[in-house]
Amino acid sequence: MSETILITPGNLSLAEMRAIYDGAKVSLNPAAREAVDRSTQTVADIIAADRTVYGINTGFGRLARTSIPTDRLQELQRNLVMSHATGLGNPIDDRTVRLIMALKIGALARGYSGIRWEVLENLVAMVNGDVLPVIPEKGSVGASGDLAPLAHMAAPLIGVGQMRHKGRIIEATEGLALLGLEPLELGPKEGLALLNGTQTSTGLALAGLFATEHAFAAAITAGALSVDAAKGSDAPFDPRIQAVRGHRGQADVAAAYRALLDGSEIRNSHMHCDRVQDPYSLRCQPQVMGAALDHIRFAATTFETEANAVSDNPLVFTDNGDVISGGNFHAEPVAMSADVLAIALSEVGSISERRIALLMDTALSGLPAFLVENGGVNSGFMIAQVTAAALASENKTLAHPASIDSLPTSANQEDHVSMATFAARRLGDISGNVAGIMAVELLSAAQGIDFQSPLKTSPHLIDVMSLIRSKVPHYDSDRYFAPDLEAIKSLVEDGAFLKLMPETLLPSTRTV
C-alpha cells in the first residue's frame, strides 16, 4: 500500500487507523513539533531548578520517594525499559504492532509527555521501514499502562531486544542498522513516557474491531442467504416493524437484509405459502444483529477516543510548568468496551449456528437432510454443523467479562487494574471462531440455494453465490471438507463481504 497517513495528534479517524493496520505508511504532522519541544523544555527546566518530580528524577511505583541524582537520569530511563520488558507468549502480529506504534506516536506528539521529537522520528522510521519490535502478547494487566508490551516496543530504540523484518527475527542493533539509525540515549522521563499508556490494549482492541466488522458483514450476508435457502419470509425486515421499536441498529440491519434479498425469484415463489412464522434465527435477525451493531458502534467510539488520548503519566503541562500525576493509563474504558464487543461478536456466531442447524433439519428447511443427496451413504454437512457448535460454545467462555477481574500489582500501589490487554486480545480468538462459523453457514446456505434451482436468488446474492462457488464447488457427495471451510473462512477474515454492506453501516469503513 502506497498511501501515507498523516498523524495529526488527537485527530486520527477509525478509517485512518484501519489504513495503518492494513499497511499504510505514516508521517507526523510537523505542526505538532512546537508542543513537543515545549514539553521537553519544561522537563529540562525542572531538572535545572533541582525540583523533585515523579517520573523525571525519582524511582517508579512504590519507589517514587527515591530521588535520583541528575548524573544517573539516563541510566534510570534505560534500566526502566529493560527491567519492564518482561512479556511472554507469542509475538503480537506485525499489523497490530504497526498500529500500536502509530497510536503511541500520536499520543506522545500531543505535547504532554516531555519526550524529544527525535524519539518520535525513530518510531516513524521503524513503522515505515517495516522493521518492527517483537512484542510478546502477554504480560500486561492494563493499568499503569501496558508496561511490559510497550517496554518491548521501546527497547529497540536503545538497541536492546528483538525486531522483525519480512518475517525474520533479528537483533535490535541489526534492525536499527537496516534503518540507518543509531541506538538512542533516552533523556529524563522518555522511558516512562514510552512505557506508560494504553496503546497496546487499544491497538489490540482496534484489530478486534476490524475483525468483528468483517465477521458482521459476512453474517448479514449469510443470514440473508439462509432466509432464501430455507424459503423464509422477508416480512420481518419490514421497516415499519423496526420503526415502532426505535433502535437504530435494528433499523439499519433490516435495511441491509431488504437490499440483499430484493428481487429474489425464490422469495416470489412462496409469497402466499401457508407458513405463518419462521424460527427466531431467521425472523429475529434485525433484533439480534441490530443489538450487536449498536454495541459495535459503541465500542468503536470508545476505541477511537482512547486511540487519540494522552494516557501516560505524569503529564507535563507547559503553560505553567506543572507535572501532574493521575491515572489516564488505567485502561478501564478499553476493557469494558472490549467486553461488550466480545459479547456482541459471540451472539453473531451463536445465532448463525442456529441457522446452520435449521438448514440441516429437513423438517424445518424443506431441504435434503444435511444438505446432501443420497443421505446415509453421504453425511453431508452433519459434522460441519458440529464444528460450528463447538466454536459457538467456546465463545461462551471467551466472552466472559475480563474487566470485572483485578489482581493488585507493585506491592499494592497499583491495587485495581483493568485487564484490558487480555480483554482486547481475546477478541482475535472470538472473531476467528465466528469466521469459522460463518464459513459453515455460507457454504450451507449456498448449498440450499443450489437445491432451489431453477429458481434464482436475488441479484446481490447471486454475486455472493458466484464468489463462494469460485472457491468451493457444490457438495454433491462426501469429500475431504476442511479445505472448503478454510477457503471461505479466509474470505470472511479478509473482509470480502464488506462491499455488500451499506456505506454507513460499520464504523471503520464509512465512506460518507
Side-chain angles (χ1 to χ4, degrees):
M1 178 179 288
S2 59
E3 181 183 8
T4 298
I5 299 299
L6 178 67
I7 298 176
T8 298
N11 288 286
L12 269 179
S13 68
L14 281 173
E16 289 171 327
M17 295 174 209
R18 178 181 266 275
I20 294 168
Y21 180 74
D22 288 339
K25 294 183 181 298
V26 300
S27 63
L28 183 52
N29 193 330
R33 181 158 190 168
E34 181 181 355
V36 170
D37 289 346
R38 282 202 309 268
S39 71
T40 306
Q41 186 59 51
T42 298
V43 171
D45 291 344
I46 288 169
I47 295 169
D50 202 25
R51 289 171 53 194
T52 299
V53 177
Y54 172 72
I56 294 178
N57 48 18
T58 71
F60 307 105
R62 285 295 294 268
L63 301 175
R65 296 180 181 178
T66 303
S67 296
I68 309 298
T70 300
D71 62 358
R72 303 196 70 181
L73 293 183
Q74 287 187 338
E75 180 186 358
L76 172 69
Q77 298 300 314
R78 181 178 179 85
N79 287 349
L80 176 70
V81 172
M82 294 192 298
S83 67
H84 284 50
T86 58
L88 295 172
N90 295 323
I92 296 174
D93 66 280
D94 286 353
R95 300 173 79 191
T96 305
V97 170
R98 290 170 48 79
L99 187 53
I100 291 168
M101 295 179 72
L103 300 186
K104 176 56 79 174
I105 292 164
L108 296 177
R110 287 191 59 183
Y112 296 95
S113 302
I115 196 165
R116 289 169 296 159
W117 188 259
E118 178 187 3
V119 180
L120 306 183
E121 288 180 321
N122 283 18
L123 291 172
V124 169
M126 290 179 183
V127 172
N128 291 340
D130 196 31
V131 184
L132 303 172
V134 173
I135 304 177
E137 64 183 0
K138 299 180 182 181
S140 173
V141 296
S144 197
D146 292 314
L147 295 172
L150 291 177
H152 285 277
M153 183 209 74
L157 289 168
I158 62 174
V160 172
Q162 293 182 318
M163 305 184 80
R164 187 163 49 209
H165 179 56
K166 296 182 178 179
R168 186 170 67 95
I169 303 293
I170 57 179
E171 294 303 312
T173 49
E174 181 182 349
L176 292 178
L178 287 173
L179 297 169
L181 300 176
E182 295 288 337
L184 292 173
E185 290 285 347
L186 295 177
K189 196 183 176 299
E190 290 186 332
L192 185 58
L194 287 162
L195 271 55
N196 224 299
T198 63
Q199 288 77 33
T200 302
S201 298
T202 307
L204 287 164
L206 286 165
L209 171 68
F210 304 150
T212 296
E213 291 176 322
H214 291 177
F216 188 88
I220 296 288
T221 305
L225 205 63
S226 291
V227 167
D228 236 15
K231 287 190 171 180
S233 174
D234 60 359
F237 309 132
D238 189 301
R240 292 169 292 182
I241 295 175
Q242 328 314 321
V244 297
R245 197 173 198 191
H247 293 294
R248 180 185 167 194
Q250 178 178 326
D252 288 350
V253 298
Y257 284 113
R258 291 196 303 274
L260 286 171
L261 288 161
D262 186 45
S264 168
E265 290 181 6
I266 298 172
R267 173 62 184 127
N268 293 336
S269 75
H270 61 93
M271 192 69 72
H272 303 293
C273 68
D274 59 0
R275 185 187 296 178
V276 178
Q277 291 182 332
D278 294 322
Y280 288 0
S281 61
L282 297 181
R283 188 183 359 147
C284 297
Q285 289 186 82
Q287 290 74 23
V288 175
M289 296 296 287
L293 179 59
D294 284 335
H295 289 89
I296 289 168
R297 288 169 171 171
F298 161 75
T301 299
T302 302
F303 298 157
E304 184 175 28
T305 298
E306 189 67 16
N308 284 292
V310 179
S311 57
D312 59 302
N313 181 67
L315 299 180
V316 179
F317 294 91
T318 59
D319 52 349
N320 57 11
D322 284 348
V323 179
I324 306 175
S325 289
N328 279 2
F329 49 68
H330 200 295
E332 195 79 355
V334 177
M336 287 187 174
S337 295
D339 283 344
V340 167
L341 192 57
I343 292 168
L345 184 53
S346 296
E347 279 293 88
V348 169
S350 175
I351 194 171
S352 171
E353 186 279 326
R354 289 292 80 205
R355 291 193 297 267
I356 296 165
L358 181 153
L359 293 171
M360 303 292 113
D361 187 340
T362 188
L364 290 174
S365 69
L367 298 166
F370 302 110
L371 299 172
V372 69
E373 300 284 9
N374 301 313
V377 173
N378 294 307
S379 295
F381 282 64
M382 180 188 296
I383 306 305
Q385 186 266 326
V386 173
T387 297
L391 296 173
S393 183
E394 184 176 301
N395 281 348
K396 295 175 186 178
T397 298
L398 287 171
H400 180 83
S403 61
I404 61 175
D405 186 29
S406 177
L407 278 176
T409 61
S410 296
N412 280 313
Q413 175 75 4
E414 297 153 9
D415 57 353
H416 184 277
V417 297
S418 73
M419 300 300 177
T421 318
F422 169 67
R425 176 166 53 82
R426 59 76 143 88
L427 293 173
D429 292 330
I430 297 175
S431 63
N433 286 343
V434 175
I437 296 168
M438 300 322 309
V440 177
E441 184 181 4
L442 287 162
L443 285 173
S444 300
Q447 190 80 355
I449 295 293
D450 285 344
F451 283 128
Q452 301 296 350
S453 182
L455 294 173
K456 295 180 179 179
T457 187
S458 70
H460 283 308
L461 294 180
I462 286 172
D463 290 341
V464 173
M465 289 291 297
S466 296
L467 176 61
I468 292 170
R469 291 291 173 244
S470 72
K471 301 293 183 181
V472 176
H474 177 79
Y475 195 107
D476 53 4
S477 61
D478 283 349
R479 61 179 185 248
Y480 189 56
F481 205 176
D484 296 349
L485 298 175
E486 287 291 348
I488 305 305
K489 181 173 183 271
S490 292
L491 288 178
V492 175
E493 292 179 325
D494 290 343
F497 301 96
L498 288 173
K499 62 186 177 183
L500 295 162
M501 298 299 104
E503 290 181 329
T504 59
L505 192 72
L506 295 166
S508 82
T509 61
R510 289 176 181 160
T511 58
V512 294

